[in-house]
Amino acid sequence: GGGAMDSGPTRSTMGGFPSLEYTGTVKSPEGTMVTSRVVLAFNGTAEYFVNCQYTAAHEDEIGVGCDQVVSSFRTT
């Protein structure tokens, strides 16, 4: 069990709103280290978040996908 906060909060933008980004790592029940990158935004009435989880073997591809989701995120 247990995990660690690797970084954060870091200020960024999601959906045109100020957001905070955190990165943390935890060991899965199978023993694999899994990183979770969470971006949180609040537009004044609702909270939004994106959580991208990945293992070291998939960090680059998931990182690119997560960046695309966060940068294209829109609220209506």
Side-chain angles (χ1 to χ4, degrees):
M5 188 63 91
D6 299 327
S7 69
T10 303
R11 294 185 187 279
S12 73
T13 303
M14 183 170 75
F17 301 105
S19 65
L20 296 174
E21 184 172 326
Y22 298 85
T23 304
T25 304
V26 67
K27 187 180 284 189
S28 74
E30 297 80 24
T32 304
M33 295 306 289
V34 177
T35 299
S36 184
R37 177 178 159 202
V38 179
V39 182
L40 306 159
F42 181 66
N43 73 356
T45 58
E47 297 174 2
Y48 301 92
F49 75 94
V50 173
N51 182 4
C52 304
Q53 295 181 330
Y54 53 88
T55 60
H58 298 284
E59 181 175 2
D60 291 339
E61 65 188 286
I62 298 299
V64 168
C66 194
D67 289 344
Q68 290 173 345
V69 169
V70 169
S71 67
S72 66
F73 187 86
R74 298 287 179 259
T75 63
T76 57

